[in-house]
Amino acid sequence: MQTHLADFIKDTPEGREAEAILRKCVHCGFCTATCPTYQLLGDELDGPRGRIYLIKQVLEGITATAKTQLHLDRCLSCRACETTCPSGVRYGRLLDIGRHIVDKQVGRGVVETLARKALRSVIPNPSRFAPLLRLGQSTRALLPAVLQRKVPPSANTTPWPSGTHARRMLVLEGCAQPSLSPNTNAAAARVLDRLGITLLRAPRAGCCGAVSYHLNAQEEGLAYMRRNIDAWWPHIEQGAEAIVMTASGCATMIAEYGYLLARDPAYAEKAKRVSALMKDVSEVITAEKDQLKVLLDSSLIPHPSSVAFHAPCSLQHGLKLKGKVEALLADLGFALTRVPDAHLCCGSAGTYSILQPALSQQLLQNKVKALTSGTPNAILTANIGCQSHLQTATALPVMHWIEMLDQRLIQDGQNANRASD
């Protein structure tokens, strides 16, 4: 694709980056075939190719309009187009650059500005998010049915293992996950404990930065990233061998720390190291699979019920781990049902379900229909946003797959104890 960037952007780092991305695009249109919003709306401007043209026009000096902003806002940032693209176009990064410029040119109304500011203020801050969630849970029975579905019931927390091992890994507790699904990280810690690995929490680490960064408060997002690096760095210096992620959305963000902070002289090398150490929990478990299979003695436990796995976009398109969790679960003895159109987004997409509710609900209904088509007994996933979103639309239990693995290990231990009595 030929480009003629305008003077305001062409000699900036963002301009040079955007131009390199644009020049890779060959307008083939393969991306439209896997774009969830294009499939729903059938509008070229609501697919990756059309949005690329919109961003290109703005970068070449054509003033953005509210219509430009609308089509960019409708994008889920699911990055399915990146998986499909034969030319390796980094669409997600181009979208971040384009949205930032369009928002500066177009602006937003008072209500929308306040809504986005509220999301950035509440979701990344557990001290604000947790009490608001508890308030909703305490009044849940009084809420209309449509709101009841959006407020998850409170969950009883389970214990974190007390043992220590020579092998140590860090975990990001996250911002919303400790309140919405408090047992996910505890389950990961228990599974790794059985494998001889201590999972460490760094109290000063918090939001990964994705909420702010993708809502165009990019400096705010970078500040969250620096804070996490500072919190983790002493543990890294003391030999922590990985940063384990149980939320694939956060993992995708942390994988880009090295890239996003590359021009920060104080953090560039540290950020690069953090991104290199980051591993989705599935990667850690896969590496220890043989030991885990010894612990999962199939002769002592009943055959597991069938489950459907929802692969988050961040897992399969962001982290490029498509099919990896499904293969791991199958190898560990889980019976997985077939999920049609597994590459498509569930509609959660960070804050998308709040800011674009109509499109989000259409995607959610389509996804739940696909997930339940094989009549599973439960739905497993790998990202807290997807987990919470899916649970609003089904009576089936929706949980992180590491929790079900932990339950099997507990059951295995109980059965082994009974067998030895």
Side-chain angles (χ1 to χ4, degrees), residues 27-47:
H27 351 268
C28 66
F30 286 5
C31 53
T32 58
T34 55
C35 175
T37 52
Y38 179 78
Q39 290 191 16
L40 288 180
L41 300 170
D43 187 332
E44 176 75 13
L45 297 180
D46 284 312

Side-chain angles (χ1 to χ4, degrees), residues 367-408:
K367 179 56 68 173
V368 169
K369 182 179 179 181
L371 287 166
T372 56
S373 63
T375 62
N377 298 105
I379 296 172
L380 307 183
T381 188
N383 188 56
I384 183 59
C386 304
Q387 180 181 332
S388 302
H389 191 53
L390 291 168
Q391 192 66 84
T392 66
T394 179
L396 289 175
V398 184
M399 67 180 75
H400 196 291
W401 66 267
I402 198 71
E403 290 190 66
M404 183 162 279
L405 178 57
D406 176 55
Q407 290 176 10
R408 277 196 62 193

